[in-house]
Amino acid sequence: MILAFSDGWGLAAAAGAATAYAVLALATPRLGEGALRGLLLAAWGLHAVTLVEALLGTPPRFGFAPALSMTVWLVLTVYAVERRLFPQLQAHWALAGLGSAAVILAMIFPGTSYHVIASPWLPLHWALGIASYGLFAAAVVHGWLMVRAERSIRQAGQNHAGVPLLTLERLTFRFVEAGFVLLSATLLVGWLFAETLYGPGLGWKWDHKTIFSLLAWAAFAGLLIGRARMGWRGLKAVRVLYLGAALLLLSYAGSRFVLEVILRRA
């Protein structure tokens, strides 16, 4: 557990992002729309600085906590774009809380330093994987909002998500479909070009990361087939989505957590 930032500005940006997110999470009901937008933009920008500092630093660092931090940042990016299309969307406090926790976690566990990268294509492989993480995380957030909205409607209450239920359902599966495409591409590239990416003798391995990734892929494939063939929707579909997301979380982030924190191996 080391606070490893190559420059003071990296630590300052991380502290600023975590603080801005925390204020946003705690004070959302008391802030106006302009203040919410400005605070979210400031937190999002500072968060981006911390990610750039880690990935482009000397040496670059990556691990389970930076991966989770980048995933949350991508979800917040999606949310910021959606707020322009659906101004009534309400998820500030939950996402801001996740953002603050993710930044703090990455400060405590900055990941492994990569002094030598076997292939210049390896960062692209990482980017595909993290992008699929982000899309599935966005799907999970929308699925959670969808379940809340459905429960409120059944209880004749107010839809706190601020977006119609069918719109939330459609967005959820759009993110699942896009994430599935990227996850498939990530697995295919890893299978075909593993030694090119990671170096000689480091080809495709049937380790925990690979097995959980394939199980997640199977869960998401089953979800998409179930929706297309059997009309899965609502809570049943969201449960399968949660299962796939949990398996995917265990694949890279889970395996790296064991290596970095429990076994203390790079």
Side-chain angles (χ1 to χ4, degrees):
M1 296 188 294
I2 303 172
L3 296 175
F5 286 86
S6 57
D7 294 297
W9 59 267
L11 180 59
T19 302
Y21 279 137
V23 171
L24 188 60
L26 296 173
T28 291
R30 297 184 293 277
L31 295 176
E33 183 61 29
L36 285 173
R37 188 182 301 111
L39 196 56
L40 179 60
L41 181 61
W44 178 87
L46 290 170
H47 193 169
V49 170
T50 67
L51 297 175
V52 170
E53 194 277 338
L55 294 176
L56 301 182
T58 306
R61 302 183 310 277
F62 201 65
F64 83 94
L68 293 177
S69 181
M70 188 173 295
T71 299
V72 173
W73 182 82
L74 288 171
V75 173
L76 285 160
T77 303
V78 169
Y79 177 76
V81 173
E82 284 189 331
R83 281 279 295 174
R84 307 293 295 180
L85 301 174
F86 306 103
Q88 67 274 32
L89 186 63
Q90 300 296 327
H92 287 86
W93 64 271
L95 293 180
L98 281 176
S100 183
V103 172
I104 293 172
L105 190 66
M107 291 171 66
I108 299 173
F109 302 104
T112 301
S113 297
Y114 287 83
H115 297 275
V116 178
I117 295 181
S119 169
W121 294 103
L122 184 56
L124 178 60
H125 180 59
W126 287 344
L128 282 174
I130 294 301
S132 69
Y133 259 59
L135 289 169
F136 283 125
V140 167
V141 171
H142 286 76
W144 170 67
L145 290 172
M146 183 176 70
V147 170
R148 288 185 67 204
E150 185 177 5
R151 185 180 299 117
S152 296
I153 291 172
R154 288 181 177 178
Q155 296 175 353
Q158 183 181 0
N159 180 2
H160 296 287
V163 177
L165 180 60
L166 292 179
T167 300
L168 284 172
E169 184 179 45
R170 184 168 62 252
L171 289 170
T172 299
F173 280 95
R174 290 291 182 269
F175 285 119
V176 171
E177 290 165 359
F180 183 75
V181 170
L182 288 185
L183 179 60
S184 300
T186 304
L187 292 174
L188 186 61
V189 169
W191 177 46
L192 294 176
F193 306 107
E195 290 200 9
T196 302
L197 294 170
Y198 293 98
L202 297 175
W204 181 271
K205 293 182 179 180
W206 288 99
D207 54 13
H208 293 84
K209 181 178 70 174
T210 301
I211 293 172
F212 279 120
S213 295
L214 290 174
L215 288 174
W217 184 91
F220 291 128
L223 173 59
L224 293 175
I225 292 172
R227 176 170 173 79
R229 297 289 182 86
M230 293 170 281
W232 287 0
R233 59 189 309 175
L235 185 57
K236 182 176 184 179
V238 171
R239 283 173 176 169
V240 180
L241 171 60
Y242 287 168
L243 172 63
L247 291 169
L248 188 61
L249 182 66
L250 289 172
S251 61
Y252 179 81
S255 62
R256 292 301 306 180
F257 174 81
V258 172
L259 286 173
E260 295 174 18
V261 179
I262 298 178
L263 299 181
R264 297 185 180 276
R265 287 161 45 191

